[in-house]
Amino acid sequence: MVDITSGDPVRRSVPLLFTTTRGNPFTDRTWSNEWVKWRDKAGWPKKHGGFHALRHFFATTLITNHAEPQDVQRLLRHQTLRITLGTYVPWWPRRERRRGVIGDILRAAAHHR
């Protein structure tokens, strides 16, 4: 397996947590095939119900729970923040925008003279 936790990719032999019945590693294709079986058994809709939808669910769950954009980028392994924001910016909650900040500051300064 390739270990990227230290920054530079290093190949390491590791025991796998999940393997196929033949002892091979689960690949993205293996997970997708299994997902279709689990999804159908659970009765989830096929439309927009692919394995990739779980990635979007993960991302939007992070976002709606106030995760920082850089954290979402890192967890999704997007190469740039632009990719993350371009995909998910509509999901980020809008923070209350404070109005009249300049006026408040000027009034406080005039009051302290």
Side-chain angles (χ1 to χ4, degrees):
M1 299 293 300
V2 178
D3 178 358
I4 60 170
T5 56
S6 64
D8 294 325
V10 178
R11 287 200 162 282
R12 301 185 193 283
S13 294
V14 295
L16 299 176
L17 184 59
F18 298 106
T19 61
T20 65
T21 54
R22 296 183 178 164
N24 296 321
F26 260 59
T27 63
D28 55 344
R29 182 168 289 181
T30 308
W31 278 114
S32 291
N33 291 338
E34 291 300 314
W35 170 249
V36 168
K37 294 178 204 172
W38 299 331
R39 181 199 64 206
D40 292 347
K41 198 170 212 176
W44 286 21
K46 290 182 174 140
K47 184 176 181 181
H48 306 299
F51 186 68
H52 191 77
L54 291 178
R55 180 177 171 86
H56 292 304
F57 174 76
F58 175 63
T60 56
T61 299
L62 291 170
I63 291 163
T64 56
N65 283 283
H66 308 288
E68 292 296 323
Q70 295 85 350
D71 293 334
V72 177
Q73 174 198 356
R74 184 178 48 79
L75 291 167
L76 294 177
R77 295 185 177 174
H78 284 158
Q79 192 168 8
T80 65
L81 186 56
R82 173 175 265 181
I83 294 169
T84 307
L85 293 175
T87 306
Y88 296 106
V89 79
W91 291 98
W92 255 280
R94 293 190 176 187
R95 294 201 166 92
E96 286 295 318
R97 294 190 180 122
R98 208 167 148 221
R99 297 173 193 259
V101 174
I102 302 298
D104 291 347
I105 292 169
L106 292 175
R107 276 190 289 283
H111 180 56
H112 288 306
R113 275 207 236 174

